[in-house]
């Protein structure tokens, strides 16, 4: 299964049915053989703006049906123009005395089928006007420019004027003025894949349409910045040739279907950073507005706008596919407030305690490979590496005389800070919580065993694991209990070792990455975190 489709022949009808469950539209019955989507609240005393074309460009065109945009849309098969009869039926459904405007993309099938429908509708007495969108700037002058994502801006501006009650001449003039200013270009890393088909292997291309046709030339962008540069250079040149030098643009960055949200955010940043800041007046929220199935690419549209056009683009709509308009500004930054720490090692010194801690760090570093091997059975094989990072940080602080070995509460705080900064991963954070909470309990006057138990409790609160879940807690909890019961470090080391060894017989992990591993894969394998804790206590006990 490569796609979340059912039968390939049903994808268009099922998609429209899904849309109709959440959008303010009515859809034609499937038995009619037509795919009409109309605004269920449309007032046909106003001009009806109608558009459509092949499916596969979602949300265009059905997603733009609703108050403030289209009165109706007509969908054909994938990448195939709807029939004359379907277009004519849509005209009949929504057109009243005010007439209708057909917004047609410059493809032969669309021009012919919409054009003949317009002629037949006029013969029936309807007032019909048409405009042709040809915003693609990539083709030679002797080849008709194609209609791309700029078509959606025509829908929005014409739909705004129609919803405001403008007459057919005003709506048509607003649409044509928009078309005259539009320039668009697309760039894609791959072709589109139709349901039931296979992706055609193609090199990255610049200047491609929305029907999977090849681009005007192959390109080899090194990164997002290079891809944006390749698209913007000819686009800006075309925009400057078409508009005067003082024109201020609205920018539309369109996802051709296969770009992730993160990719679109990066592309948006690159486009807006490369355009002259004084020429950009607003931007449409980046989104797929005129896609080409799952094509891994984007297109950029520039349109000069005045105050009236900006107001038209910013006006609210009921159509669920319109992403909205936003202002553009340089990123506003601030300096975060960071934690203030006492100078490390400000407290007293205890050479014997320092030697025990040093021995524990050496034990962890020596066990790095063994712990990584244990973790490889249940995780990504880096437990030893992570504990070694923490151990080296503590050992380095000891060697540099930056830890207060003579003051247990301050020492625990300092170790907690070191682990948070240097160890990384969830283990580093959990151990930092353990030491930080233990330090707080020590300052409150608790003995070390009770303070360690309090720290373990806080670690459990945040981490969610319990003893018996096959984690480091299976060694920590019994060691802390031994100390709280008045035992020595040797007693704690024996309890930690017994707890760690017992994890080999725990066939199921209740927390951590091991929880996602089959039980049989864990049998006979000691938990690496528990093993690390046992080795620490053994080294501390000498």
């Amino acid at each position: 299964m490569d796609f979340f489709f059912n039968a390939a022949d049903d994808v268009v009808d099922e998609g429209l049915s899904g849309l109709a469950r959440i959008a303010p539209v009515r859809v034609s019955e499937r038995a009619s053989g037509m795919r009409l989507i109309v605004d269920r609240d449309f007032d046909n005393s106003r001009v009806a703006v109608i558009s459509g074309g092949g499916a596969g460009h979602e949300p265009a065109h059905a997603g733009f049906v609703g108050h403030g945009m289209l009165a109706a849309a007509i969908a054909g098969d994938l990448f195939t123009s709807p029939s004359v009869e379907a277009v004519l039926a849509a005209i009949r459904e929504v057109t009243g005395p005010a007439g209708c405007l057909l917004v047609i993309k410059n493809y032969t099938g669309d021009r012919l089928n919409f054009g003949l429908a317009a002629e037949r509708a006029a013969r029936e007495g309807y007032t019909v006007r048409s405009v042709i969108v040809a915003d693609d700037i990539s083709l030679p002058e002797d080849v008709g420019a194609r209609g791309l994502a700029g078509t959606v801006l025509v829908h929005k501006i014409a739909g705004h004027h129609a919803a405001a009650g403008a007459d057919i001449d005003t709506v048509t003039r607003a649409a044509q003025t928009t078309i005259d200013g539009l320039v668009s270009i697309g760039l894609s890393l791959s072709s589109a894949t139709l349901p039931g088909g296979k992706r055609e292997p193609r090199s990255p291309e610049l200047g491609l349409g929305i029907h999977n046709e090849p681009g005007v030339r192959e390109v080899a962008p090194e990164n997002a910045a290079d891809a944006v540069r390749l698209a913007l250079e000819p686009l800006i040149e075309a925009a400057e040739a078409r508009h005067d030098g003082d024109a201020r643009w609205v920018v539309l960055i369109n996802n051709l279907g296969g770009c992730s949200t993160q990719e679109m955010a990066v592309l948006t940043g690159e486009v807006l950073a490369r355009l002259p800041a004084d020429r950009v007046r607003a931007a449409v929220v980046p989104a797929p507005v005129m896609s080409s199935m799952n094509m891994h690419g984007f297109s950029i549209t520039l349109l000069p706008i005045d105050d009236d056009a900006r107001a038209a683009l910013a006006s609210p709509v009921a159509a669920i596919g319109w992403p909205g308009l936003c202002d553009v500004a340089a990123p506003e930054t601030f300096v975060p407030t960071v934690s203030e720490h006492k100078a490390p090692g400000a407290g007293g010194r205890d050479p014997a305690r320092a030697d025990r801690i040093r021995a524990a760090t050496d034990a962890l570093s020596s066990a790095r490979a063994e712990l990584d091997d244990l973790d490889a059975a249940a995780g990504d094989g880096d437990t030893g590496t992570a504990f070694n990072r923490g151990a080296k940080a503590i050992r380095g602080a000891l060697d540099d005389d930056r830890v207060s070995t003579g003051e247990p509460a301050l020492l625990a705080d300092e170790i907690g800070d070191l682990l948070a900064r240097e160890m990384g991963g969830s283990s580093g954070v959990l151990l930092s919580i353990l030491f930080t909470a233990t330090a707080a309990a020590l300052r409150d006057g608790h003995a070390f065993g009770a303070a360690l138990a309090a720290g373990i409790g806080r670690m459990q609160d945040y981490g969610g694991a319990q003893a018996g879940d096959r984690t480091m807690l299976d060694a920590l909890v019994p060691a802390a209990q031994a100390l709280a019961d008045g035992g020595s470090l040797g007693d704690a080391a024996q309890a930690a070792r017994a707890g760690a060894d017992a994890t080999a017989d725990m066939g199921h992990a209740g927390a951590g990455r091991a929880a996602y591993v089959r039980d049989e894969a864990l049998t006979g394998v000691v938990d690496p975190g528990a093993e690390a804790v046992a080795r620490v206590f053994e080294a501390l006990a000498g």
Side-chain angles (χ1 to χ4, degrees), residues 288-315:
V289 297
M290 184 72 74
S291 62
S292 182
M293 295 297 295
N294 63 338
M295 184 177 283
H296 194 176
F298 65 94
S299 65
I300 308 171
T301 299
L302 299 177
L303 171 68
I305 55 170
D306 56 17
D307 290 344
D308 289 341
R310 192 195 186 289
L313 290 170
S315 63

Side-chain angles (χ1 to χ4, degrees), residues 88 116-126 128:
L88 186 56
L116 180 53
E119 294 301 317
R120 290 177 57 183
R123 191 174 64 195
E124 294 180 17
Y126 293 99
V128 182

